mmCIF file of all heavy atoms in Angstrom:
data_model
loop_
_atom_site.group_PDB
_atom_site.id
_atom_site.type_symbol
_atom_site.label_atom_id
_atom_site.label_comp_id
_atom_site.label_asym_id
_atom_site.label_seq_id
_atom_site.Cartn_x
_atom_site.Cartn_y
_atom_site.Cartn_z
ATOM 1 N N ALA A 49 141.407 -38.672 -115.595
ATOM 2 C CA ALA A 49 140.266 -38.940 -114.775
ATOM 3 C C ALA A 49 140.644 -39.568 -113.449
ATOM 4 O O ALA A 49 140.153 -39.188 -112.370
ATOM 5 C CB ALA A 49 139.219 -39.791 -115.461
ATOM 6 N N THR A 50 141.580 -40.545 -113.514
ATOM 7 C CA THR A 50 142.095 -41.162 -112.308
ATOM 8 C C THR A 50 142.783 -40.142 -111.439
ATOM 9 O O THR A 50 142.657 -40.147 -110.201
ATOM 10 C CB THR A 50 143.038 -42.337 -112.649
ATOM 11 O OG1 THR A 50 142.366 -43.237 -113.480
ATOM 12 C CG2 THR A 50 143.503 -43.040 -111.418
ATOM 13 N N THR A 51 143.544 -39.263 -112.052
ATOM 14 C CA THR A 51 144.272 -38.219 -111.314
ATOM 15 C C THR A 51 143.271 -37.294 -110.574
ATOM 16 O O THR A 51 143.458 -36.937 -109.405
ATOM 17 C CB THR A 51 145.148 -37.382 -112.211
ATOM 18 O OG1 THR A 51 146.122 -38.259 -112.853
ATOM 19 C CG2 THR A 51 145.897 -36.273 -111.513
ATOM 20 N N GLU A 52 142.227 -36.893 -111.263
ATOM 21 C CA GLU A 52 141.222 -36.020 -110.647
ATOM 22 C C GLU A 52 140.525 -36.740 -109.480
ATOM 23 O O GLU A 52 140.319 -36.118 -108.403
ATOM 24 C CB GLU A 52 140.171 -35.587 -111.684
ATOM 25 C CG GLU A 52 140.741 -34.654 -112.739
ATOM 26 C CD GLU A 52 139.630 -34.223 -113.718
ATOM 27 O OE1 GLU A 52 138.445 -34.574 -113.471
ATOM 28 O OE2 GLU A 52 139.981 -33.548 -114.714
ATOM 29 N N ALA A 53 140.218 -38.015 -109.668
ATOM 30 C CA ALA A 53 139.568 -38.713 -108.574
ATOM 31 C C ALA A 53 140.515 -38.879 -107.372
ATOM 32 O O ALA A 53 140.062 -38.802 -106.227
ATOM 33 C CB ALA A 53 139.082 -40.101 -109.057
ATOM 34 N N ALA A 54 141.808 -39.157 -107.633
ATOM 35 C CA ALA A 54 142.776 -39.226 -106.566
ATOM 36 C C ALA A 54 142.900 -37.916 -105.853
ATOM 37 O O ALA A 54 143.046 -37.847 -104.593
ATOM 38 C CB ALA A 54 144.146 -39.680 -107.105
ATOM 39 N N ARG A 55 142.851 -36.813 -106.594
ATOM 40 C CA ARG A 55 142.908 -35.478 -105.961
ATOM 41 C C ARG A 55 141.676 -35.257 -105.099
ATOM 42 O O ARG A 55 141.746 -34.695 -104.016
ATOM 43 C CB ARG A 55 142.996 -34.420 -107.047
ATOM 44 C CG ARG A 55 143.445 -33.036 -106.596
ATOM 45 C CD ARG A 55 143.445 -32.092 -107.774
ATOM 46 N NE ARG A 55 144.378 -32.525 -108.826
ATOM 47 C CZ ARG A 55 144.080 -32.522 -110.131
ATOM 48 N NH1 ARG A 55 142.885 -32.116 -110.502
ATOM 49 N NH2 ARG A 55 144.946 -32.910 -110.993
ATOM 50 N N PHE A 56 140.502 -35.732 -105.558
ATOM 51 C CA PHE A 56 139.290 -35.584 -104.791
ATOM 52 C C PHE A 56 139.386 -36.452 -103.522
ATOM 53 O O PHE A 56 139.021 -35.983 -102.423
ATOM 54 C CB PHE A 56 138.096 -36.032 -105.638
ATOM 55 C CG PHE A 56 136.788 -36.037 -104.917
ATOM 56 C CD1 PHE A 56 136.057 -34.881 -104.825
ATOM 57 C CD2 PHE A 56 136.301 -37.204 -104.324
ATOM 58 C CE1 PHE A 56 134.839 -34.865 -104.153
ATOM 59 C CE2 PHE A 56 135.098 -37.144 -103.630
ATOM 60 C CZ PHE A 56 134.354 -36.004 -103.532
ATOM 61 N N LEU A 57 139.884 -37.676 -103.632
ATOM 62 C CA LEU A 57 139.986 -38.547 -102.466
ATOM 63 C C LEU A 57 140.943 -38.015 -101.421
ATOM 64 O O LEU A 57 140.850 -38.286 -100.218
ATOM 65 C CB LEU A 57 140.346 -39.935 -102.872
ATOM 66 C CG LEU A 57 139.288 -40.723 -103.706
ATOM 67 C CD1 LEU A 57 139.871 -42.086 -104.062
ATOM 68 C CD2 LEU A 57 138.021 -40.894 -102.926
ATOM 69 N N ALA A 58 141.963 -37.275 -101.907
ATOM 70 C CA ALA A 58 142.922 -36.677 -100.951
ATOM 71 C C ALA A 58 142.335 -35.608 -100.086
ATOM 72 O O ALA A 58 142.770 -35.303 -98.987
ATOM 73 C CB ALA A 58 144.136 -36.131 -101.731
ATOM 74 N N ALA A 59 141.266 -34.959 -100.621
ATOM 75 C CA ALA A 59 140.596 -33.849 -99.913
ATOM 76 C C ALA A 59 139.304 -34.253 -99.266
ATOM 77 O O ALA A 59 138.830 -33.560 -98.370
ATOM 78 C CB ALA A 59 140.378 -32.661 -100.882
ATOM 79 N N VAL A 277 136.244 -45.044 -111.848
ATOM 80 C CA VAL A 277 137.276 -44.036 -111.665
ATOM 81 C C VAL A 277 137.710 -43.926 -110.191
ATOM 82 O O VAL A 277 138.937 -43.907 -109.949
ATOM 83 C CB VAL A 277 136.797 -42.672 -112.168
ATOM 84 C CG1 VAL A 277 137.818 -41.602 -111.829
ATOM 85 C CG2 VAL A 277 136.580 -42.702 -113.671
ATOM 86 N N ALA A 281 141.391 -44.702 -108.549
ATOM 87 C CA ALA A 281 142.064 -43.706 -107.676
ATOM 88 C C ALA A 281 142.453 -44.315 -106.375
ATOM 89 O O ALA A 281 143.544 -44.055 -105.853
ATOM 90 C CB ALA A 281 141.179 -42.525 -107.482
ATOM 91 N N SER A 284 145.437 -46.276 -106.781
ATOM 92 C CA SER A 284 146.615 -45.399 -106.856
ATOM 93 C C SER A 284 147.107 -45.014 -105.473
ATOM 94 O O SER A 284 148.309 -45.023 -105.135
ATOM 95 C CB SER A 284 146.257 -44.165 -107.628
ATOM 96 O OG SER A 284 147.316 -43.200 -107.596
ATOM 97 N N GLN A 285 146.156 -44.742 -104.565
ATOM 98 C CA GLN A 285 146.547 -44.430 -103.183
ATOM 99 C C GLN A 285 147.191 -45.625 -102.481
ATOM 100 O O GLN A 285 148.134 -45.528 -101.750
ATOM 101 C CB GLN A 285 145.352 -43.958 -102.419
ATOM 102 C CG GLN A 285 144.796 -42.602 -102.819
ATOM 103 C CD GLN A 285 143.633 -42.153 -101.969
ATOM 104 O OE1 GLN A 285 142.782 -43.002 -101.512
ATOM 105 N NE2 GLN A 285 143.502 -40.890 -101.740
ATOM 106 N N HIS A 384 147.253 -45.539 -112.370
ATOM 107 C CA HIS A 384 148.533 -44.861 -111.997
ATOM 108 C C HIS A 384 149.597 -45.891 -111.743
ATOM 109 O O HIS A 384 149.302 -47.055 -111.377
ATOM 110 C CB HIS A 384 148.331 -43.978 -110.790
ATOM 111 C CG HIS A 384 147.594 -42.683 -111.107
ATOM 112 N ND1 HIS A 384 147.304 -41.783 -110.143
ATOM 113 C CD2 HIS A 384 147.109 -42.194 -112.232
ATOM 114 C CE1 HIS A 384 146.681 -40.734 -110.663
ATOM 115 N NE2 HIS A 384 146.562 -40.978 -111.945
#
Side-chain angles (χ1 to χ4, degrees):
T50 304
T51 299
E52 291 183 7
R55 196 181 300 135
F56 177 85
L57 293 178
V277 173
S284 174
Q285 290 182 328
H384 283 180

